[in-house]
């Protein structure tokens, strides 16, 4: 039995006269012990899915089970066995660190000591501030406390909605290290993020855009399904180089990618042809080399297909 | 003859009680530059930016923005800059045209200027038919592009962008950077913060703040060379890990 099984889930919202199709028939499975990522920008439908799976929102149609329990019929059972960390900080700001943790443990009829091993590595980092009010913590500490509170009843499935949004690169790395440790302890984790580079840290991911899943798989599978060659190109005048590349009929697409531009080549065109083309357009000195696609390249290619 | 820098700071400092949020930072930004202002959460970026925008008085040090003094000429500074962040966007329950008119009006632009430039802007964004739509009904990526256009609508000398592309899809993120390049080419100086390290590469120069100080300032290529790093991500991690001031 899957830890999470989602079948054709649909959710719409009314906004004045307009209907927003937040989730448009989404299906996926998460195996036990898996670290599963839902990757997509704001407005993809990530939060709506998390709220339906944690029984805080009813689907319009379709359904899902979490640890075998139905999200509509068995909502009480699900609430006992999942942990949920929403995107917005939602602990009690006027309770201390310690009080928040005890409060959540008590609600779930357990104690902090009973499952302390699970949160120990994270809690020791905020323990020096245990008498501080949660509202007075820094962003990084709030995040760690929220994670402890979501874990204290030893949930079967942990839902983390954009835990790393707006967080700097160092704290993001630390947070993902914590997730990997939790996964080792057998907890199934569903995490959402708008950062494409975090996909590679998940066992499997679903790439989402505008209410739909574009593809699901291991990061490796998704990268292997990218069916074009990519050349990375760099020159002195990057802006001019991109304009020149975009005018070339040998390419599918060209876009900036950090230090380089990524150029998606049409079939049968290679580095040699590009060197000739760039030499003829005043970029003889361009640095050109083949690269492996990243999840971000895949995401962009899938987005383009949706436009067609 | 070299031009006067558009942003100039010398030992700029801000203390809150005995906590030094910004610790004697000195740097210059030239007109038309795209300047990336990076740092870990809690490094002091927001406090520094608030001083540069004339929203917070420094404790000590000097700074001029577009030639105006951050102590005495804060109103002049506000008239000459634009600002946009991921959070402070446009009014969702006003239409596109109403938002433009509202912001341009605040900056004292004439009706004729607003009318001409609105038409031009809507055309650039391919929104000619949608000027009377509520901003709340637009997709996020478009909202952010519109917010940027509104932030530079009054033709400021500098625009401050605070994590402008957070949560935006990868295609729109690049379209957004195209707009930044166009604005910089037109002579508007760009001062931008981001958590996307690939975007740091799109800046002409970058500063990295650690514990209230500017620890490094150079071109992306120069920083990678100095820190013997393959990517900006590596540079950032090397520097930010030195932080002793904890945001734990």
């Amino acid at each position: 039995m899957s830890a999470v099984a989602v079948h054709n889930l649909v959710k719409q919202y009314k906004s004045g006269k307009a209907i927003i199709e937040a989730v448009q028939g989404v299906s996926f499975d998460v195996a036990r012990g898996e670290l599963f990522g839902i990757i997509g920008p704001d407005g993809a439908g990530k939060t709506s899915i998390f709220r339906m799976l944690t029984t805080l929102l009813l689907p319009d149609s379709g359904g899902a089970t979490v640890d075998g329990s139905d999200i509509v019929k068995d909502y009480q059972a699900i609430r006992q066995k999942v942990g949920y960390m929403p995107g917005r900080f939602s602990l009690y700001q006027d309770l201390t660190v310690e009080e928040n943790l005890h409060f959540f443990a008590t609600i779930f009829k357990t104690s902090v000591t009973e499952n302390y091993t699970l949160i120990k590595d994270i809690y020791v980092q905020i323990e020096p501030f245990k008498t501080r009010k949660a509202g007075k913590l820094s962003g990084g500490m709030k995040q760690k406390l929220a994670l402890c509170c979501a874990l204290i009843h030893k949930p079967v499935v942990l839902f983390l909605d954009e835990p790393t949004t707006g967080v700097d690169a160092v704290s993001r790395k630390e947070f993902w290290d914590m997730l990997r440790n939790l996964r080792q302890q057998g907890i199934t984790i569903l995490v959402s993020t708008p950062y494409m580079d975090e996909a590679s840290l998940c066992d499997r991911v679903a790439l989402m855009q505008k209410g739909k899943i574009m593809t699901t798989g291991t990061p490796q599978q998704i990268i292997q399904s990218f069916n074009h060659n990519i050349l990375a190109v760099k020159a002195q005048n990057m802006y001019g180089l991109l304009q020149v590349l975009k005018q070339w009929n040998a390419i599918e697409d060209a876009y900036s990618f950090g230090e380089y531009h990524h150029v998606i080549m049409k079939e049968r065109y290679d580095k040699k042809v590009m060197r000739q083309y760039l030499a003829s357009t005043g970029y003889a000195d361009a640095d050109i080399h083949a690269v492996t696609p990243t999840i971000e390249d895949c995401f962009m290619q899938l987005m383009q297909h949706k436009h067609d | 003859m070299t031009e006067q820098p558009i942003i100039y700071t010398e030992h700029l400092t801000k203390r809150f009680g005995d906590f030094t949020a910004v610790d004697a930072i000195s740097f210059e930004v030239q007109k038309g530059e795209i300047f990336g202002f990076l740092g870990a959460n809690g490094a002091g970026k927001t406090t520094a930016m608030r001083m540069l925008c004339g929203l917070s008085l420094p404790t000590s040090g000097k700074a001029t923005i577009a030639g105006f003094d951050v102590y005495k000429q804060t109103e002049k500074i506000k008239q000459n800059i634009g600002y946009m962040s991921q959070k402070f966007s446009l009014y969702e329950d006003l239409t596109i045209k109403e938002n433009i008119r509202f912001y341009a009006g605040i900056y004292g632009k004439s009706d004729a200027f607003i009318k001409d430039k609105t038409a031009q802007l809507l055309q650039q964004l391919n929104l000619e038919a949608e000027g009377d739509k509520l901003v709340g009904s637009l997709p996020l990526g478009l909202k952010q592009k519109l917010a940027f256009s509104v932030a530079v609508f009054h033709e400021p000398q500098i625009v401050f962008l605070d994590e402008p592309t957070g949560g935006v899809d990868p295609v729109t993120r690049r379209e957004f950077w195209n707009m930044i390049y166009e604005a910089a080419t037109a002579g508007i100086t760009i001062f931008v913060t981001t958590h996307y390290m690939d975007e740091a590469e799109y800046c002409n120069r970058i500063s990295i703040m650690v514990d209230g100080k500017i620890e490094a300032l150079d071109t992306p290529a120069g920083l990678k060379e100095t820190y013997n790093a393959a990517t900006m991500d590596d540079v950032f991690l090397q520097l930010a890990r030195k932080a002793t001031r904890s945001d734990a």
Side-chain angles (χ1 to χ4, degrees):
Chain A
M1 185 182 55
S2 310
V4 179
V6 181
H7 311 287
N8 213 11
L9 206 58
V10 173
K11 185 71 199 178
Q12 299 184 335
Y13 302 106
K14 281 208 183 96
S15 162
K17 273 179 257 168
I19 288 174
I20 297 161
E21 299 184 75
V23 181
Q24 305 176 42
V26 160
S27 305
F28 63 91
D29 276 282
V30 181
R32 290 192 181 269
E34 209 169 29
L35 175 49
F36 189 91
I38 298 182
I39 319 282
D42 290 0
K46 306 186 299 289
T47 299
S48 294
I49 292 174
F50 274 53
R51 291 179 59 85
M52 286 188 275
L53 295 179
T54 50
T55 78
L56 300 171
L57 188 67
L58 286 170
D60 293 332
S61 64
T65 59
V66 175
D67 190 37
S69 305
D70 184 274
I71 56 166
V72 178
K73 280 191 318 217
D74 310 323
Y75 70 93
Q76 283 171 320
I78 290 181
R79 289 178 188 183
Q80 300 290 326
K81 54 192 178 187
V82 302
Y84 174 46
M85 183 171 151
R88 189 176 296 180
F89 183 70
S90 33
L91 301 180
Y92 293 92
Q93 312 255 8
D94 49 356
L95 293 185
T96 65
V97 167
E98 215 174 16
E99 285 166 347
N100 264 295
L101 195 58
H102 279 286
F103 175 80
F104 282 93
T106 312
I107 279 199
F108 287 104
K109 301 190 171 64
T110 179
S111 66
V112 174
T113 42
E114 198 174 326
N115 295 316
Y116 189 69
T117 47
L118 204 55
I119 62 162
K120 185 171 169 276
D121 290 347
I122 308 161
Y123 190 66
V124 290
Q125 301 174 51
I126 51 172
E127 209 174 6
F129 314 99
K130 65 183 179 187
T131 57
R132 193 180 288 186
K133 294 220 162 95
K136 300 275 182 208
L137 296 175
S138 71
M141 288 198 280
K142 276 183 183 164
Q143 191 193 37
K144 282 171 186 157
L145 176 60
L147 185 57
C148 288
C149 289
L151 278 170
I152 196 59
H153 60 295
K154 199 172 191 205
V156 181
V157 184
L158 181 62
F159 292 91
L160 306 169
D161 194 7
E162 297 204 28
T164 56
T165 291
V167 172
D168 69 68
V170 175
S171 311
R172 273 169 62 195
K173 261 208 159 71
E174 284 176 8
F175 196 84
W176 277 95
D177 287 343
M178 290 190 273
L179 292 194
R180 286 168 161 244
N181 284 336
L182 289 172
R183 182 179 158 279
Q184 302 250 301
Q185 301 187 53
I187 294 181
T188 306
I189 303 173
L190 221 78
V191 58
S192 70
T193 177
Y195 294 106
M196 304 283 145
D197 58 344
E198 292 181 352
S200 61
L201 304 167
C202 301
D203 296 322
R204 280 195 314 134
V205 295
L207 303 188
M208 270 200 90
Q209 165 83 350
K210 293 183 181 158
K212 288 180 184 154
I213 289 182
M214 300 188 292
T215 189
T216 311
T218 65
Q220 211 47 44
Q221 282 166 347
I222 292 173
I223 284 167
Q224 274 162 10
S225 67
F226 192 90
N227 49 9
H228 288 85
N229 291 326
I230 302 187
L231 294 176
V233 194
K234 182 167 82 163
Q236 272 296 324
N237 175 5
M238 289 300 276
Y239 190 61
L241 177 65
L242 189 59
Q243 307 309 319
V244 160
L245 286 166
K246 281 189 166 171
Q247 284 159 17
W248 193 25
N249 59 12
I251 66 157
E252 292 282 345
D253 202 0
Y255 44 83
S256 38
F257 205 97
E259 189 185 358
Y260 289 85
H261 293 321
H262 276 189
V263 186
I264 317 301
M265 304 299 290
K266 280 187 182 159
E267 256 176 86
R268 79 203 153 73
Y269 288 99
D270 61 6
K271 189 170 149 181
K272 226 164 100 187
V273 192
M274 181 185 278
R275 186 160 302 291
Q276 283 163 4
Y277 172 73
L278 288 181
S280 72
T281 48
Y283 290 91
D285 64 333
D287 164 5
I288 308 171
H289 64 269
V291 287
T292 314
T294 65
I295 289 289
E296 187 155 352
D297 291 300
C298 299
F299 195 97
M300 289 172 71
Q301 191 182 48
L302 290 162
M303 274 179 75
Q304 309 292 350
H305 284 281
K306 296 282 158 188
H307 289 303
D308 294 343
Chain B
M1 197 181 92
T2 52
E3 245 181 301
Q4 199 191 345
I6 192 101
I7 298 177
Y8 171 82
T9 80
E10 194 183 325
H11 301 301
L12 191 67
T13 300
K14 180 80 185 188
R15 285 191 206 97
F16 298 104
D18 55 6
F19 176 72
T20 308
V22 175
D23 194 356
I25 59 172
S26 303
F27 68 97
E28 292 174 6
V29 179
Q30 306 303 324
K31 181 175 155 60
E33 229 186 331
I34 302 176
F35 190 84
F37 197 60
L38 310 188
N41 299 120
K45 293 191 305 281
T46 304
T47 306
M49 227 157 123
R50 286 177 56 82
M51 288 192 282
L52 301 181
C53 292
L55 298 170
S56 165
L57 273 183
T59 310
S60 61
K62 283 187 210 164
T64 59
I65 308 301
F68 300 110
D69 183 84
V70 291
Y71 292 91
K72 293 184 213 129
Q73 296 175 295
T74 53
E75 285 313 306
K76 279 281 179 202
I77 290 174
K78 287 175 205 163
Q79 285 162 25
N80 281 280
I81 64 169
Y83 175 81
M84 127 175 220
S85 82
Q86 188 193 352
K87 283 171 207 119
F88 180 73
S89 190
L90 303 167
Y91 290 93
E92 305 245 316
D93 47 0
L94 294 184
T95 67
I96 295 176
K97 282 184 184 162
E98 285 167 346
N99 266 291
I100 296 174
R101 199 153 60 96
F102 176 74
Y103 282 101
I106 282 189
Y107 286 107
K109 292 293 169 189
S110 71
D111 287 349
F113 175 93
I114 296 174
K115 193 171 166 242
D116 286 357
K117 209 163 170 194
T118 301
Q120 195 189 327
L121 191 156
L122 292 179
Q123 193 192 356
Q124 275 166 5
L125 290 173
N126 266 326
L127 288 174
E128 287 130 304
E130 305 171 71
D132 295 318
K133 267 198 181 169
L134 292 184
V135 161
S137 67
L138 301 175
L140 174 90
L142 191 52
K143 258 187 230 173
Q144 291 302 88
K145 284 197 272 182
L146 184 65
F148 177 75
S149 304
V150 170
V152 295
F153 192 87
H154 61 290
E155 300 173 348
Q157 300 198 55
I158 310 165
V159 63
F160 289 87
L161 306 172
D162 195 2
E163 288 179 42
T165 56
V168 171
D169 73 70
V171 172
T172 310
R173 211 149 65 78
R174 285 163 174 88
E175 289 169 359
F176 191 91
W177 271 91
N178 243 330
M179 295 178 73
I180 291 182
Y181 269 104
E182 278 166 20
T185 309
I188 297 179
T189 307
I190 313 283
F191 190 92
V192 58
T193 74
T194 179
H195 285 312
Y196 291 99
M197 286 303 133
D198 61 327
E199 294 187 346
E201 293 279 1
Y202 307 153
C203 301
N204 299 122
R205 287 190 307 144
I206 298 161
S207 72
I208 300 180
M209 270 187 94
V210 181
D211 290 349
K213 295 190 177 79
I214 289 186
E215 276 296 314
L217 196 166
D218 204 343
T219 60
L223 286 173
K224 280 182 285 185
E225 202 181 311
T226 307
Y227 291 91
N228 194 18
T231 61
M232 275 308 299
D233 209 31
D234 290 342
V235 174
F236 186 84
L237 291 177
Q238 279 187 43
L239 281 164
R241 281 208 169 113
K242 283 195 217 157
T244 51
R245 180 155 116 189
S246 152
D247 180 61

